[in-house]
Amino acid sequence: MPRGPVVPVLVTVLLLCAPAGGAGAAGHGGVTLADLCSGVLVLWCALGLLRPPAHRTAGRVGPRALTPLAAVVLGVPAAAFAVTTIASADPAASLPGFVRYLQLFVLVPGAVLLSLRDARDVRLMCAAVVLLALVEGGVGVVQALTGNGASYQGENVRAVGTFGPLDVMGMATAVSYGLVTALACGLHPPAGAPRWLRPCALGSAAALVVPLALSYSRGAWIATASAVLLLLALRGVRTTVCVLAAVAATGVVLVGGFGLATQELSQRARSITEVSDSPDRSVTDRYTLWGAALDIWREAPVTGVGPKEFPEHRDAHAALELSSGSDTAGAGVPFQREPLLSPHNMYLLVLSEQGLVGTVALMGSWGVLLVRGGRRLVDARRGGPGCRATDCGAVAAGLLVWQSVDFLYGDIGGPSTVLTALVLGSATWWALSPAVEQTADGTVERAADGTAARTAAWWHRGRAPKADGGPR
């Protein structure tokens, strides 16, 4: 059974399975159970840092405090968020945005970094993410097949899971995280992994392709394709060709053979490239919002207009073709018009609201995670430090690439944003935690058939010996 600070991390992930409920629960001004649990996680770690060293958990591998580099990576964005909030024309109105940014990009990732003691804890978190994706994906497939999903082109066929139609990206995000995590574990299992790991992981990844397709989320499709190509490239050309051929064959069977959402999927895929030649309304709105965000940034290029201030300045800079909002209905929610409160591009949202100060600080911290995480993964694959946790490195690399691409088409908002913070925390652990460089083999005797012992050895792989040199 998992013990210690990792428990709140797992509970926070699994609480996202709870139905979103009304508008408030969907993240539009409301606080979800996952938000509350993430607050407990931050408080847990804060109290742990205040405890005297003599009272902390004996034999703990993870850091007792942030390393200087981790403090800089997390502290610089926090300082930038504070500066842009103070410089806002209405600091009081920007204060909730400051708290949200601090929660998602500083406090929760930092708490996850301190909570994950070793590779075993990371694998527990990966299992929770895959389980969440399978549950949400299963609910989404049932919604699409029974006509109880969110409205799409006049039919309630869009898979949204328990997140509801007010957070249509929620299920797509959770399923994408699970797919990338499962594929990374299946393609890059650590040495000594049990035989059941690879087929279970690859089977889960394959199963999650269906709800991802039925989410009709173009941004999630593109981001997932980018992360999958990275993971396949790390594995080799032969594996890449075989997997792509299998995916193509599965698509032909599901779409061509069973006619699963043939018209909707083909139309949605074509709309990705329809920029100037009769694009659909969502594409037009998105590019119009992107232009408005750039114009807002030019108004205050250094510190932006302040967190949460994009909606107040949108209409003064948006072109006339911008619609008044997006239609939402289905999945138990009556028809309503949702206002367009962001540019649906995280980079442009930060640029417009926090200027160069916030953008450079936040993008710089993510850049450090990408560079440091990539270097550690390369070293681990060559047998260097962290070689017993290459699966954790592959997961971190895949999720970071997914998030970097997805932020081109989406931004923060809704209950699934807490999951984004947790994922960034796991990537922060791989890139910055000293525990990655302390990984060592477990000392477990092989049983006669070898299965139970190999499973136990893999499960404990990555855990460092105690300070006295004895077995853990």
Side-chain angles (χ1 to χ4, degrees):
M1 293 292 292
R3 296 177 294 175
V6 73
V7 173
V9 177
L10 305 180
V11 173
T12 304
V13 173
L14 297 178
L15 276 178
L16 288 164
C17 293
H28 298 268
V31 178
T32 66
L33 289 175
D35 284 319
L36 294 176
C37 195
S38 70
V40 173
L41 171 63
V42 172
L43 181 61
W44 180 309
C45 290
L47 293 177
L49 292 175
L50 294 176
R51 295 175 63 188
H55 293 84
R56 290 174 181 151
T57 304
R60 177 183 170 89
V61 179
R64 293 187 176 94
L66 295 176
T67 63
L69 179 58
V72 171
V73 170
L74 296 174
V76 169
F81 299 156
V83 169
T84 56
T85 301
I86 294 173
S88 171
D90 189 353
S94 296
L95 186 60
F98 166 74
V99 173
R100 187 64 164 166
Y101 274 95
L102 198 66
Q103 173 203 7
L104 299 178
F105 299 121
V106 178
L107 296 180
V108 174
V112 173
L113 169 63
L114 295 173
S115 299
L116 300 178
R117 300 164 296 181
D118 45 44
R120 175 179 177 268
D121 285 352
V122 178
R123 289 166 185 146
L124 282 170
M125 181 177 174
C126 290
V129 170
V130 174
L131 178 59
L132 169 67
L134 290 172
V135 172
E136 291 293 340
V139 173
V141 170
V142 172
Q143 290 172 334
L145 295 179
T146 59
N148 292 314
S151 177
Y152 177 74
Q153 294 186 345
E155 299 182 60
N156 295 337
V157 295
R158 186 170 190 176
V160 292
T162 63
F163 293 98
L166 299 180
D167 184 20
V168 293
M169 283 295 297
M171 190 212 74
T173 299
V175 167
S176 298
Y177 286 156
L179 192 158
V180 172
T181 300
L183 184 63
C185 293
L187 291 179
H188 306 277
R195 295 177 180 176
W196 52 263
L197 176 66
R198 175 169 287 178
C200 287
L202 295 179
S204 298
L208 291 172
V209 172
V210 178
L212 178 61
L214 296 176
S215 70
Y216 300 110
S217 174
R218 294 164 296 199
W221 292 351
I222 297 172
T224 303
S226 302
V228 167
L229 288 176
L230 170 68
L231 295 174
L232 292 175
L234 291 173
R235 183 67 183 178
V237 177
R238 181 179 178 181
T239 302
T240 302
V241 174
C242 293
V243 171
L244 293 180
V247 170
T250 303
V252 170
V253 172
L254 292 177
V255 178
F258 295 100
L260 184 62
T262 306
Q263 181 178 356
E264 293 86 351
L265 287 174
S266 60
Q267 187 276 335
R268 195 67 166 171
R270 286 196 307 270
S271 67
I272 295 175
T273 59
E274 291 175 349
V275 178
S276 59
D277 185 15
S278 64
D280 63 21
R281 169 54 59 183
S282 62
V283 174
T284 300
D285 287 343
R286 179 160 301 180
Y287 284 103
T288 303
L289 289 168
W290 289 3
L294 288 173
D295 285 342
I296 293 173
W297 167 67
R298 294 186 185 100
E299 181 180 299
V302 178
T303 58
V305 295
K308 285 284 187 179
E309 289 297 301
F310 177 84
E312 295 297 324
H313 295 77
R314 179 201 60 198
D315 293 340
H317 296 84
L320 295 177
E321 60 263 25
L322 179 66
S323 61
S324 60
S326 60
D327 299 336
T328 58
V333 175
F335 174 84
Q336 54 186 295
R337 192 80 168 164
E338 284 296 304
L340 302 174
L341 302 178
S342 73
H344 295 288
N345 181 304
M346 188 64 199
Y347 306 108
L348 293 179
L349 176 63
V350 175
L351 187 66
S352 62
E353 291 188 340
Q354 305 194 49
L356 293 176
V357 171
T359 303
V360 171
L362 194 58
M363 301 305 109
S365 68
W366 293 346
V368 172
L369 298 184
L370 282 169
V371 173
R372 289 269 303 183
R375 290 180 58 183
R376 277 188 166 179
L377 181 58
V378 171
D379 292 341
R381 287 170 57 83
R382 292 175 177 173
C387 62
R388 301 301 181 181
T390 52
D391 54 328
C392 302
V395 170
L399 291 177
L400 273 178
V401 169
W402 188 95
Q403 197 62 68
S404 299
V405 176
D406 182 73
F407 272 160
L408 293 170
Y409 302 92
D411 46 48
I412 57 176
S416 59
T417 308
V418 175
L419 186 58
T420 299
L422 295 171
V423 164
L424 290 175
S426 66
T428 304
W429 178 87
W430 173 257
L432 303 178
S433 176
V436 175
E437 299 178 354
Q438 300 170 2
T439 55
D441 278 324
T443 55
V444 181
E445 296 293 333
R446 290 181 179 270
D449 60 358
T451 303
R454 283 195 301 271
T455 301
W458 165 78
W459 184 253
H460 291 278
R461 193 176 300 276
R463 306 192 71 180
K466 288 184 179 180
D468 60 4
R472 291 190 62 82

